[in-house]
């Protein structure tokens, strides 16, 4: 049986969990520490915390919130947003994170991936890749940075290949077109990355019903299934999702 892990994602802005559509129109979803504890207690296998405004506002991830969350959970915890150096990563890991996630900083200074992998080990390094559809790219997808606001002219799959070569341990592609739309993960994007890399891939952006999670595993070959709003607003319960996946031949912890 294919084994996958379920990863709720806390997108953070101004100290609160928020969720938007296509990276905009943000809605408040609650207190991050309370939500993190609830996910930990209700069967989540991992947790992601992304300070989505940190890079745009040119500041560091909120370490105090990271510390508070780490005190109330016992599952692997990935933190991203505003991590631009080995020292930044060290502070986040010291605050209780198990992994760090980089997007804009990794793209602008790819050698940072090498340095983090060499310093902490590749298992601690997640490279997040925000993309949008661009038919002029070889894969059909272009990398975007700065919270999905800035086009880079770089092909998404080629960047995923380079990230692996430089020492990334995980890849986290998010389709801007699918984010928050609840019409399913971008399966061709997942397939394109899985076919050209060997790393675990975290599916992100677009889950709206249980069938979408199954598609990401069966067709997209995803290893970890990340979602936000369907979990935050109670549209899908994690225990029910796990039962559904198990019933369809997908093993979860």
């Amino acid at each position: 049986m294919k084994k996958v892990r379920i990863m709720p994602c806390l997108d953070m802005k101004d100290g609160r969990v928020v969720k938007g559509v296509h990276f905009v129109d943000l809605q408040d979803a609650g207190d991050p520490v309370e939500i993190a504890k609830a996910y930990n207690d209700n069967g989540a296998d991992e947790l992601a915390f992304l300070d989505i405004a940190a890079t745009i506002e040119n500041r560091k991830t909120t370490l105090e919130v990271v510390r508070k969350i780490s005190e109330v959970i016992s599952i692997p915890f990935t933190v991203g947003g505003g991590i631009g150096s080995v020292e930044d990563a060290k502070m986040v890991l010291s605050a209780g994170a198990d992994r760090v996630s980089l997007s804009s900083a990794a793209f602008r200074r790819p050698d940072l991936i090498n340095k983090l992998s060499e310093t902490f080990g590749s298992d601690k390094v997640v490279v997040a890749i925000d993309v949008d559809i661009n038919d002029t790219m070889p894969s059909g997808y272009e990398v975007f940075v700065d919270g999905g606001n800035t086009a880079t002219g770089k092909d998404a799959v080629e960047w995923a290949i380079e990230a692996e070569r430089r020492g990334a341990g995980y890849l986290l592609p998010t389709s801007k077109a699918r984010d928050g739309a609840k019409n399913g993960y971008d399966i061709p994007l997942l397939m394109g990355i899985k076919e050209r890399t060997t790393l675990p891939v975290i599916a992100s952006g677009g889950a709206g019903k249980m069938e979408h999670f199954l598609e990401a595993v069966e067709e997209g070959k995803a290893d970890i299934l990340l979602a936000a709003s369907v979990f935050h607003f109670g549209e899908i319960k994690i225990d029910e999702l796990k039962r559904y996946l198990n019933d369809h031949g997908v093993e979860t912890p």
Side-chain angles (χ1 to χ4, degrees):
M1 293 176 73
K2 169 79 173 183
K3 295 183 179 180
V4 299
R5 299 173 68 82
I6 307 300
M7 177 187 257
C9 180
L10 311 182
D11 290 328
M12 291 287 303
K13 190 173 190 296
D14 300 326
R16 301 284 290 179
V17 177
V18 295
K19 190 62 197 125
V21 178
H22 311 312
F23 297 176
V24 295
D25 300 328
L26 302 179
Q27 286 182 266
D28 185 273
D31 176 76
V33 180
E34 292 177 4
I35 294 174
K37 186 177 188 307
Y39 283 138
N40 181 84
D41 296 346
N42 289 305
D45 304 310
E46 305 208 13
L47 186 71
F49 170 101
L50 302 177
D51 191 336
I52 60 175
T55 296
I56 298 169
E57 295 172 1
N58 194 31
R59 60 173 173 77
K60 309 301 182 187
T61 294
T62 308
L63 293 176
E64 187 58 33
V65 179
V66 174
R67 288 191 193 94
K68 288 179 179 178
I69 290 175
S70 70
E71 290 171 358
V72 299
I73 67 173
S74 59
I75 53 179
F77 181 30
T78 296
V79 174
I83 299 170
S85 67
V86 171
E87 186 59 33
D88 290 343
K90 182 178 181 180
M91 288 192 294
V92 169
L93 293 169
S94 296
D98 297 283
R99 303 185 196 116
V100 293
S101 176
L102 308 123
S103 177
S104 301
F107 185 85
R108 290 196 167 103
R109 287 181 288 113
D111 66 318
L112 181 58
I113 303 173
N114 302 70
K115 291 176 182 176
L116 292 176
S117 179
E118 291 162 4
T119 304
F120 305 110
S122 62
D123 187 60
K124 300 288 187 184
V125 183
V126 179
V127 172
I129 306 174
D130 294 335
V131 313
D132 208 352
I133 295 168
N134 184 336
D135 293 335
T136 68
M137 297 284 143
S139 70
Y141 297 94
E142 180 179 3
V143 177
F144 277 65
V145 294
D146 302 329
N149 292 306
T150 306
T152 66
K154 178 80 170 181
D155 180 79
V157 173
E158 292 301 322
W159 172 230
I161 293 168
E162 182 176 350
E164 176 177 24
R165 179 174 58 79
R166 288 180 174 276
Y170 297 82
L171 298 171
L172 198 173
T174 302
S175 170
K176 186 176 179 180
R178 297 289 182 126
D179 176 69
K182 299 182 182 178
N183 58 357
Y185 294 103
D186 195 320
I187 301 301
L189 172 64
L190 294 174
M191 290 175 60
I193 290 176
K194 285 297 289 186
E195 287 171 358
R196 301 284 303 280
T197 67
T198 65
L199 296 181
V201 170
I202 304 168
S204 170
K209 55 185 180 179
M210 293 191 191
E211 290 85 350
H212 294 154
F213 292 88
L214 185 62
E215 289 170 1
V217 179
E218 292 186 334
E219 299 176 38
K221 310 302 180 186
D223 303 281
I224 299 173
L225 303 173
L226 180 152
S229 57
V230 290
F231 295 147
H232 297 340
F233 302 121
E235 296 166 41
I236 294 177
K237 300 285 194 292
I238 291 175
D239 59 343
E240 294 175 1
L241 173 60
K242 286 189 169 186
R243 281 197 295 273
Y244 171 82
L245 292 172
N246 293 164
D247 290 344
H248 287 80
V250 178
E251 186 177 345
T252 59

